[in-house]
Amino acid sequence: MQFQIPKGTFDILPYGTDELWRLSHMWQKAESVLRKTAADYGYREIRTPIYERTELFVRGAGETSDIVSKEMFTFLDRGERSISLRPEGTAAVMRAYIENHLGNLGAVHKFFYIGPMFRYERPQSGRYRQHHQFGVEAIGVSAPEQDAEIIDLALQVYKRLHIKNLKVLLNTVGDAASRETFRATLLAYLKPRFAQLSAESQVRFEKNPLRILDSKSPQDREILKGAPSILDSLSGEARKHFEQLCRILDRFGVSYLVDDRIVRGLDYYNKTVFEVVSEDLGAQGTVGAGGRFDGLIASLGGADKPAVGFATGTERLLQVMVALQVPCERTDAPLLYFIPLGEAARMKCMELATLCRHAGVSSIVEMQAQKLQAGLANAVKADALCCAILGSDEMEQGCIQMKNMQSRETLSIPFDDLLPVMLKKMLR
Ligand code: ATP
Ligand code: MG
């Protein structure tokens, strides 16, 4: 019996796939840019478990959110506790912040996380059951400058990965007072159209009408075209925050489009919400999204602290990079590829390679091919920078023949000089 990977998941491979976004060096490149960008903005890494008590996500994202109502991988553990694989990162980061009393260690905290998320979705291009997210969270600042910093960080990530043709769609969902007003206006608009709403939105009508704005059903989208705008229901405070944010972004030269239909899929957002959309991804065009969630920490049992965050999907990032043909070379290619010809030569190559490796000069020893041509072909496959060829003549002379795989130049080097020469090369 041959096993198959579970539906909606994929392997990330060092080679052997035409889907370039599944190549591991692409992931390494993206992840190193994500980490460096986070560090440049003062965000430090936090790692939380892959699973949490189900209740955390229910309280966090909210009962009527897509992820909680239909996408979670939930099971009872052997102690009969309801556990869920994390569908998103924010709730767990806030749980960790509260549980570890990080609030006692300063007024402002900035974190980033990177790792897999799990959602039971209908698999399709850009939509998987295990996907990966990079996210940032800033806790403690209610000023709109903080929202602007996060939006700029998000755009900087894409810029550094050479992703172009992006749009920032910006909106505000106001504060509790704004949403209360808007809820009434929206319900008044939807009530006479209730029968035409999708079954799902009919449920949301009772439980959380704002969520209807996030519906992907075509019939709902048609009805929503004439719906009132939340921008007309903003309280003075919420309006001021939004206007200030727009002003700061203008000053940064960040271009954005105000889109009053964006409410985001999770219940915890307030005030600022935004999405970053690519024109190069087709149906699954949203590469990243974020917003402010001032009430979340308190609702999870922590202090009343404001917070704002953003998350981007790694698969979609890489897929846009591939669509845009962003060059992405391997960073793990070996410097040296030893090709021994004969038994004695192999032993000597092992010895030299070990010396090189211990000094940080990456080396591979050909273990299979008996002939030079086959060895060279394998070196090409490995993307090696140099080949070090050792036949019986070289063994006698105590030298190794070096071949630069790009320039094709060859050079004979005494065994003892190999490591110093390679180290010098690396410093250059
Ligand atoms: P969508 O509307 O596409 O379902 P979402 O609102 O559910 O997105 P978020 O919860 O904001 O997405 O997740 C942040 C990012 O993670 C998304 O912008 C997207 O890039 C990525 N993402 C979300 N779900 C998936 C998935 N199932 N497969 C791959 N990437 C995903
Ligand atoms: Mg979704």
Side-chain angles (χ1 to χ4, degrees):
M1 166 175 178
Q2 204 181 339
F3 288 102
Q4 281 178 344
I5 196 167
K7 202 171 162 194
T9 65
F10 53 87
D11 296 312
I12 299 168
L13 302 171
Y15 42 77
T17 168
D18 293 332
E19 289 176 271
L20 302 182
W21 67 271
R22 290 206 286 121
L23 287 171
S24 51
H25 75 270
M26 299 275 295
W27 287 74
Q28 288 164 359
K29 156 95 187 210
E31 285 166 2
S32 74
V33 168
L34 295 168
R35 287 173 181 282
K36 173 72 170 89
T37 312
D40 288 347
Y41 283 73
Y43 289 67
R44 298 183 63 186
E45 186 174 14
I46 184 163
R47 300 191 194 196
T48 64
I50 298 289
Y51 60 85
E52 299 270 353
R53 300 283 292 265
T54 301
E55 189 55 26
L56 175 69
F57 302 118
V58 176
R59 289 256 218 112
E63 249 186 308
T64 53
S65 65
D66 277 358
I67 57 176
V68 169
S69 63
K70 53 185 187 189
E71 296 173 0
M72 276 209 295
F73 280 88
T74 298
F75 57 94
L76 286 183
D77 71 7
R78 288 170 196 273
E80 302 283 301
R81 285 168 289 254
S82 179
I83 295 290
S84 293
L85 300 183
R86 64 179 184 197
E88 59 98 35
T90 300
V93 171
M94 298 309 140
R95 196 259 319 126
Y97 162 84
I98 298 166
E99 192 170 353
N100 293 286
H101 307 290
L102 299 184
N104 294 344
L105 301 176
V108 178
H109 298 266
K110 298 188 178 183
F111 305 119
F112 81 86
Y113 59 84
I114 189 162
M117 304 294 162
F118 306 85
R119 298 183 184 186
Y120 199 84
E121 300 207 63
R122 191 170 66 77
Q124 52 198 289
S125 165
R127 202 174 279 291
Y128 306 95
R129 290 190 176 167
Q130 171 172 328
H131 74 281
H132 298 74
Q133 286 187 18
F134 161 81
V136 295
E137 318 283 6
I139 302 173
V141 185
S142 55
E145 280 80 0
Q146 183 60 73
D147 311 37
E149 175 182 281
I150 296 259
I151 294 174
D152 180 58
L153 186 164
L155 292 177
Q156 187 56 209
V157 160
Y158 301 124
K159 185 165 178 216
R160 291 184 186 191
L161 291 169
H162 307 286
I163 297 177
K164 296 192 225 49
N165 312 332
L166 293 177
K167 274 196 302 225
V168 177
L169 305 179
L170 185 66
N171 192 27
T172 173
V173 290
D175 47 18
S178 320
R179 283 197 298 282
E180 200 52 46
T181 317
F182 181 59
R183 191 187 140 96
T185 331
L186 183 64
L187 285 179
Y189 171 81
L190 291 173
K191 200 156 188 194
R193 298 167 176 85
F194 182 83
Q196 285 91 54
L197 286 173
S198 66
E200 219 175 334
S201 286
Q202 289 185 346
V203 175
R204 291 164 167 156
F205 184 92
E206 305 294 337
K207 288 191 168 169
N208 191 346
L210 247 74
R211 187 80 318 122
I212 296 176
L213 293 181
D214 197 42
S215 170
K216 292 190 177 85
S217 130
Q219 69 197 84
D220 290 348
R221 301 230 62 88
E222 198 50 41
I223 295 171
L224 288 169
K225 280 185 183 155
S229 167
I230 186 147
L231 297 175
D232 298 322
S233 298
L234 295 182
S235 69
E237 222 271 297
R239 176 174 306 284
K240 191 167 146 226
H241 186 94
F242 189 58
E243 286 172 355
Q244 277 179 342
L245 171 60
C246 292
R247 224 175 308 131
I248 301 163
L249 292 176
D250 291 339
R251 185 147 163 198
F252 280 16
V254 171
S255 50
Y256 55 86
L257 293 168
V258 175
D259 180 343
D260 61 11
R261 288 296 179 267
I262 295 205
V263 291
R264 304 291 312 122
L266 316 176
D267 278 358
Y268 50 60
Y269 286 107
N270 75 320
K271 293 187 177 159
T272 312
V273 285
F274 66 96
E275 288 189 6
V276 185
V277 183
S278 163
E279 294 165 10
D280 301 300
L281 266 185
Q284 261 51 260
T286 310
V287 283
R292 183 166 273 286
F293 41 93
D294 293 339
L296 179 62
I297 296 174
S299 81
L300 296 178
D304 187 13
K305 293 273 187 184
V308 47
F310 160 80
T312 187
T314 316
E315 290 75 10
R316 291 188 199 174
L317 270 189
L318 293 172
Q319 286 166 357
V320 199
M321 285 169 68
V322 170
L324 292 171
Q325 300 187 316
V326 173
C328 183
E329 64 293 336
R330 274 183 66 180
T331 46
D332 58 352
L335 288 174
L336 274 180
Y337 197 98
F338 286 88
I339 305 177
L341 302 168
E343 208 49 44
R346 190 196 289 187
M347 194 59 212
K348 186 66 192 172
C349 282
M350 282 301 292
E351 190 187 310
L352 289 170
T354 304
L355 200 71
C356 287
R357 289 165 177 162
H358 289 186
V361 176
S362 52
S363 306
I364 294 180
V365 181
E366 173 62 54
M367 298 272 190
Q368 197 67 38
Q370 308 288 334
K371 298 241 165 63
L372 179 59
Q373 281 315 316
L376 286 171
N378 287 341
V380 169
K381 263 194 237 155
D383 290 326
L385 191 77
C386 271
C387 278
I389 303 155
L390 192 56
S392 47
D393 291 354
E394 287 87 1
M395 278 297 276
E396 264 170 40
Q397 295 156 10
C399 283
I400 195 149
Q401 208 197 114
M402 303 287 289
K403 184 182 176 82
N404 185 312
M405 298 301 278
Q406 268 138 37
S407 66
R408 313 308 270 174
E409 272 176 280
T410 55
L411 177 73
S412 189
I413 302 183
F415 291 156
D416 287 349
D417 291 351
L418 177 65
L419 181 57
V421 165
M422 288 311 294
L423 288 173
K424 218 158 129 194
K425 229 183 171 55
M426 281 166 69
L427 288 177
R428 251 197 287 130

